[in-house]
Amino acid sequence: ESLDKGLEKTNTNFFNKLGKAMVGRSKVDEEVLDELENVLVSSDVGVDTTVKIIDAIEKRVARDLYLNATELDKILKEEIARLLNATQPDTAQGYDLPKVNGPYVILVVGVNGVGKTTTIGKLAAQFKKSGKKVILGAADTFRAAAVDQLKLWGERTGVPVVSHGMNTDPASVAFDAVKQGVEQGADVILIDTAGRLHNKVNLMNELAKIKRVMQKYIPEAPHEVMLVLDGSTGQNAMIQAKEFMRVTEVNALAITKLDGTAKGGVVIGISDQLSIPVKYIGVGEKVDDLQVFNKYEFVDSLFK
Ligand code: GDP
């Protein structure tokens, strides 16, 4: 239900336009497919992924002679689910933390303003609620506000935050966070980082150093590098993701601000084009507004 509410704007967009595409028509013809293409592109699915979906639908329409809007919805849903299937794990429950030796370390990356700190705060709350011992590392030392904000989330959720203040060495913060996590028997450590994508070489070196120092304590760390993207920026989020993937290895995505946008289709394009699982979606500013991404629910909610 909260997913439907969170994706309200995207749904309204899909549904209204899709409905309009079929008004006064009894079969799926060229015009309907053109209209559908417009709907997908304007929902920010992205051109390449849209072409894939339209091609697949064209083939099926020719073969199965789907005639009405309900049937078109059905095949559209199936084709979108097929694209998500390629990257999303086949679980309805979503994710649990994999069993590792010692704490599970998540390095959280992304440019400023995308919702990194908020996502970390929400995750900390969720992990804590499920009985996990959590530690946060404030390694976004570039902005004073970032450190303060993470501390605030720490207070709010009752989770300790390791911080050395502003302009300190991010790697040293990460080192201490992992050290404390190991010593205190934490289950999960979340490290916030600065995302200065305009300064790629610095960012690359900084993230490499952060990884190197934490590996002194946990050789496999970070177990996860989670890139946070602002879904309301549509195709820009995709471009940003591609740039980030050149700076560091990324193996999980969180897409935020899907509540404020009609561009929720970007989740489909990103899953298809980047082949990195979308683990979480943000649908609001409050602590409970982070959801484990479930491809089945997502596709369903797009057509409600
Ligand atoms: P950071 O600079 O990447 O750490 O971004 P912040 O965590 O500071 O978030 C920037 C702004 O986006 C804040 O005002 C957050 O409340 C807001 N925000 C984060 N996630 C979401 C979301 O899922 N939905 C909405 N509507 N706002 C969000």
Side-chain angles (χ1 to χ4, degrees):
E1 247 169 54
S2 56
L3 180 66
D4 293 342
K5 184 122 194 60
L7 294 173
E8 209 161 33
K9 288 198 175 142
T10 292
N11 300 352
T12 310
N13 188 53
F14 256 91
F15 184 78
N16 280 347
K17 292 194 182 160
L18 203 60
K20 277 190 199 122
M22 287 299 291
V23 163
R25 298 191 176 98
S26 58
K27 64 177 171 48
V28 179
D29 54 16
E30 267 316 298
E31 257 177 86
V32 171
L33 288 174
D34 277 354
E35 188 61 39
L36 192 54
E37 194 172 309
N38 287 337
V39 174
L40 292 170
V41 169
S42 67
S43 304
D44 257 285
V45 170
V47 173
D48 293 344
T49 303
T50 294
V51 168
K52 247 192 214 179
I53 295 172
I54 297 292
D55 280 354
I57 287 173
E58 246 180 324
K59 283 201 190 94
R60 292 192 51 178
V61 168
R63 195 183 67 216
D64 299 338
L65 289 171
Y66 286 95
L67 291 179
N68 60 36
T70 315
E71 283 162 329
L72 179 61
D73 272 11
K74 183 170 166 284
I75 53 172
L76 190 54
K77 223 160 142 174
E78 284 169 12
E79 292 307 325
I80 291 173
R82 204 192 304 281
L83 293 181
L84 293 175
N85 276 347
T87 48
Q88 297 303 132
D90 204 26
T91 159
Q93 292 84 268
Y95 294 82
D96 195 12
L97 291 177
K99 279 261 161 296
V100 294
N101 253 337
Y104 189 79
V105 181
I106 306 177
L107 189 64
V108 184
V109 302
V111 304
N112 289 338
V114 292
K116 229 178 325 147
T117 312
T118 308
T119 302
I120 292 172
K122 291 169 174 174
L123 279 173
Q126 284 190 10
F127 286 134
K128 193 172 181 212
K129 207 169 162 187
S130 68
K132 303 243 181 330
K133 185 165 180 176
V134 190
I135 287 186
L136 306 181
D140 180 356
T141 60
F142 196 65
R143 288 182 310 140
V147 175
D148 293 344
Q149 219 183 321
L150 197 70
K151 282 184 180 163
L152 204 66
W153 275 105
E155 282 164 25
R156 217 180 271 166
T157 54
V159 164
V161 178
V162 174
S163 165
H164 296 173
M166 196 191 163
N167 289 328
T168 54
D169 179 9
S172 141
V173 176
F175 180 85
D176 277 352
V178 172
K179 180 171 184 276
Q180 284 192 30
V182 170
E183 285 169 358
Q184 295 171 20
D187 297 299
V188 56
I189 302 167
L190 294 150
I191 311 279
D192 195 9
T193 64
R196 284 162 291 154
L197 201 48
H198 56 277
N199 203 334
K200 272 197 207 103
V201 176
N202 279 0
L203 182 60
M204 199 184 291
N205 290 339
E206 188 170 297
L207 292 174
K209 190 174 169 197
I210 287 175
K211 288 182 187 177
R212 212 160 51 234
V213 298
M214 62 171 65
Q215 284 162 358
K216 289 183 186 161
Y217 271 92
I218 306 175
E220 303 81 23
H223 302 91
E224 194 168 303
V225 179
M226 179 183 287
L227 173 64
V228 181
L229 297 168
D230 177 346
S232 70
T233 62
Q235 286 303 298
N236 282 333
M238 173 92 78
I239 294 165
Q240 217 173 69
K242 285 182 178 162
E243 289 205 45
F244 244 101
M245 287 162 72
R246 277 184 220 118
V247 172
T248 189
E249 187 191 333
V250 176
N251 52 19
L253 299 173
I255 303 182
T256 63
K257 307 191 194 181
L258 290 175
D259 51 306
T261 179
K263 296 174 180 294
V266 73
V267 174
I268 300 163
I270 283 176
S271 300
D272 175 46
Q273 302 286 311
L274 304 184
S275 298
I276 299 172
V278 178
K279 281 201 164 184
Y280 299 96
I281 55 173
V283 291
E285 296 187 88
K286 291 198 288 297
V287 64
D288 290 328
D289 296 331
L290 186 78
Q291 306 196 350
V292 168
F293 181 72
N294 180 314
K295 62 187 173 192
Y296 303 109
E297 284 175 9
F298 181 76
V299 173
D300 270 347
S301 83
L302 286 180
F303 294 90
K304 266 185 187 146

